[in-house]
Amino acid sequence: MTNTRKIFAGARIRLLRQSHNLTQALFAQQLSISTSYLNQIENNQRALSGSVILALVDTFNFDLSELALDGAGKVSVDLQEILNDPIFTENKVLTQEIKIAATNAPNISKAFLDLYRMFQKSREQLGEVDNALKDHETSLAPLPYEEVRDYFHYTDNYIDALDRAAEAFALSLPRSDAGRHADMVDYLLKTHGVKVVMRKDKPGSSTLRAYDPTTKTIHLNAASSMATNLFQLAYQVGLIEQSDLIEQLLDDAAFHTDVARDVCRMTFANYFAGAVVLPYSEFAQAAKEQRHDLENLAFQFDASLEQVCHRLSNLQRPGEKGIPFYFVRIDQAGNITKRHSATTLQFTRFGGGCPLWNVHHAFQSPGEILRQLAVTPDGIQYLSLAFVQTKRVSGFKSPVRKYAIGLGCEIKHAGHVVYADDLDVTEVKNFDPIGTSCRICERIDCFHRSVPPIGKQIVVDHNKRGSVPFKIS
């Protein structure tokens, strides 16, 4: 089944016109359309036609992949979720109104989200009878991890300058038959005088990397995988060689607190490391040739399956974008510990995900890559993959961390993904109906619903009971 969606991109088209310093009349003339038609497009009253899209590409070298999903999709999900707060009970906001606000007034929508987060933080602290009046500005600032998460959320998890610096380093690193890990060890010693020592810690030790700047020695855990240790070496290179760029990016981000800045400094170094292990163009080409076979790609680049999945989701370089994937990592309690989506599927900030989604079933099938054909309430169909990633240190009694990794793309890209080869993607009944979260899922007939969706009324029939104890009107 093919999904046909109208494309509304008013904010992007307006930004494109303004970047060329053109009036609506001149811009419309170059697109061979009327000024009134352009005005309707920019205000999302008319969708983009095929001829207009072609004119945008031919005349302004417009990147078609930018039409897949802009920040409006992310903002819309965030708005839907917070409008579930009881304080908005008297304000019945329709889903379509939310989408219009996120698309037509993205800056106002984001300002509203920021205001709500400040209110929520203040309300929590007042509820705990905390000293909310102390250090007033800091107390209203978002939590460090939340602020950093939001920064990457709205940059599509792609940092161009850092990504290109990592790729340049990866290409310049001498390669030998000894392997990338040995090459990185040799580079650190020759270039920076940094010695790498493989250390056998006490059983149960969770230390992956320890750098002593006095002796210029990196201690790596010998029990860690080769992929983990290669990543840790690349992380250290990022801190040493890209400190100026990282500090500049941190200045531009303008975080509210030093703690958030420090968290993001670590995240930038992690980003650099991932882009070194999986350099953009080389990895993107390999992914295309391997038809996104996760295990083959992990083997080729000495990476873990999680690293490969995360990288696939942030191949967002302008003019060189890969297939838009979503990526999510959850623990056994259903908490989302990592999330990113270059697709129309967005993840909620709070609460659990949809139990019908295969990522929640992966814990029952360790060692397997589960496949699922799924459809969301908006009619978009997806190919969803899920598997379990186990992280542990040496020792029988050592703690074990298990995560489920989810990766997926819209079904229109299934022909480029090896996992879809024997699946019938043309039959509607093969697709499982899933949502993002019960609170923003509009399905009224789901047997696994836990709470009503936002803006819907419920009716309790005391004479009849179904799988869900209420009906949605």
Side-chain angles (χ1 to χ4, degrees):
M1 178 179 177
T2 301
N3 290 299
T4 302
R5 303 199 308 275
K6 293 182 178 181
I7 299 176
F8 294 90
R12 286 196 177 275
I13 301 304
R14 186 184 304 109
L15 182 62
L16 176 66
R17 174 176 62 79
Q18 292 172 345
S19 68
H20 286 80
N21 295 319
L22 294 175
T23 63
Q24 283 192 337
L26 290 175
F27 193 74
Q29 184 179 357
Q30 296 199 38
L31 295 178
S32 298
I33 61 176
S34 67
T35 304
S36 61
Y37 183 20
L38 175 61
N39 183 271
Q40 290 175 319
I41 289 175
E42 290 192 0
N43 287 285
N44 285 320
Q45 296 171 354
R46 295 279 294 274
L48 292 176
S49 66
S51 60
V52 170
I53 293 175
L54 290 175
L56 287 167
V57 174
D58 292 340
T59 308
F60 298 98
N61 195 30
F62 187 72
D63 186 356
L64 287 180
S65 59
E66 293 184 13
L67 297 177
L69 177 68
D70 58 16
K74 302 178 177 65
V75 172
S76 179
V77 171
D78 292 344
L79 286 173
Q80 281 183 302
E81 190 165 12
I82 69 171
L83 285 170
N84 185 61
D85 192 303
I87 65 172
F88 298 115
T89 301
E90 300 300 321
N91 304 93
K92 300 299 182 183
V93 183
L94 301 177
T95 301
Q96 189 59 33
E97 291 180 293
I98 294 173
K99 293 178 179 179
I100 291 173
T103 303
N104 288 358
N107 291 333
I108 293 178
S109 298
K110 288 180 180 179
F112 175 75
L113 290 173
D114 290 340
L115 182 62
Y116 176 81
R117 291 179 196 125
M118 291 172 65
F119 158 76
Q120 181 69 1
K121 181 66 178 176
S122 179
R123 182 168 64 175
E124 289 172 0
Q125 293 196 350
L126 287 172
E128 296 169 2
V129 198
D130 200 353
N131 294 323
L133 297 180
K134 276 188 180 180
D135 198 10
H136 184 67
E137 183 177 351
T138 302
S139 69
L140 293 179
L143 294 174
Y145 268 91
E146 291 178 352
E147 190 173 13
V148 174
R149 179 191 62 188
D150 288 348
Y151 170 81
F152 277 88
H153 184 56
Y154 288 114
T155 58
D156 276 339
N157 205 33
Y158 176 76
I159 311 299
D160 189 69
L162 203 55
D163 207 299
R164 292 183 185 277
E167 182 177 37
F169 169 77
L171 294 177
S172 67
L173 183 70
R175 298 193 182 186
S176 68
D177 294 336
R180 299 176 73 193
H181 183 276
D183 295 339
M184 192 79 78
V185 170
D186 187 56
Y187 173 84
L188 281 164
L189 182 61
K190 290 181 178 179
T191 307
H192 299 289
V194 174
K195 182 181 179 181
V196 178
V197 175
M198 302 302 296
R199 187 172 69 188
K200 291 186 177 181
D201 288 344
K202 293 179 180 180
S205 172
S206 60
T207 302
L208 300 180
R209 170 184 46 83
Y211 177 61
D212 186 342
T214 304
T215 61
K216 285 192 170 185
T217 303
I218 300 176
H219 296 273
L220 296 179
N221 193 329
S224 297
S225 68
M226 186 69 75
T228 295
N229 284 331
L230 177 61
F231 184 93
Q232 294 302 324
L233 292 176
Y235 178 97
Q236 200 65 54
V237 171
L239 289 181
I240 294 173
E241 296 188 357
Q242 301 300 325
S243 59
D244 289 344
L245 174 58
I246 288 175
E247 295 306 313
Q248 178 186 333
L249 291 170
L250 290 171
D251 289 341
D252 294 340
F255 292 109
H256 289 82
T257 65
D258 289 338
V259 177
R261 185 182 178 97
D262 213 29
V263 169
C264 196
R265 182 180 290 107
M266 171 189 67
T267 310
F268 279 148
N270 279 332
Y271 185 101
F272 178 86
V276 167
V277 174
L278 302 166
Y280 197 103
S281 296
E282 183 182 356
F283 177 74
Q285 182 61 31
K288 183 177 180 181
E289 294 173 355
Q290 297 280 357
R291 298 185 62 231
H292 304 86
D293 188 311
L294 304 180
E295 292 168 308
N296 281 348
L297 290 170
F299 176 78
Q300 180 176 340
F301 288 90
D302 299 321
S304 69
L305 289 178
E306 180 181 339
Q307 289 170 353
V308 168
C309 291
H310 190 238
R311 187 56 164 156
L312 286 173
S313 74
N314 65 19
L315 293 180
Q316 298 296 300
R317 180 176 292 178
E320 200 180 344
K321 291 186 178 183
I323 288 178
F325 281 98
Y326 70 73
F327 164 79
V328 65
R329 187 181 77 179
I330 68 171
D331 63 20
Q332 289 176 284
N335 299 307
I336 296 178
T337 60
K338 286 185 180 180
R339 64 182 175 89
H340 171 63
S341 180
T343 72
T344 53
L345 178 66
Q346 298 298 310
F347 307 111
T348 57
R349 295 167 179 269
F350 313 108
C354 178
L356 302 178
W357 191 17
N358 68 341
V359 70
H360 297 288
H361 305 160
F363 292 109
Q364 304 167 17
S365 304
E368 296 182 39
I369 296 180
L370 304 183
R371 303 177 298 169
Q372 179 185 35
L373 298 178
V375 58
T376 49
D378 56 6
I380 309 303
Q381 297 174 328
Y382 293 91
L383 169 66
S384 300
L385 309 177
F387 60 89
V388 170
Q389 181 97 343
T390 300
K391 298 186 178 184
R392 64 177 301 159
V393 292
S394 61
F396 175 69
K397 294 184 178 181
S398 300
V400 178
R401 291 186 298 162
K402 289 184 179 181
Y403 297 105
I405 307 296
L407 182 77
C409 65
E410 289 190 28
I411 207 65
K412 64 184 179 183
H413 302 295
H416 302 289
V417 182
V418 66
Y419 300 97
D421 282 355
D422 60 341
L423 300 177
D424 184 357
V425 301
T426 63
E427 183 59 59
V428 177
K429 66 180 181 180
N430 291 339
F431 288 80
D432 298 326
I434 67 169
T436 302
S437 168
C438 284
R439 293 190 180 279
I440 61 174
C441 178
E442 299 176 3
R443 299 188 192 280
I444 62 174
D445 56 350
C446 179
F447 70 94
H448 224 305
R449 176 172 291 283
S450 59
V451 294
I454 297 170
K456 298 291 185 179
Q457 297 295 323
I458 64 171
V459 176
V460 177
D461 186 346
H462 297 284
N463 297 315
K464 186 177 181 181
R465 165 64 197 259
S467 57
V468 177
F470 53 79
K471 292 183 178 180
I472 302 170
S473 60

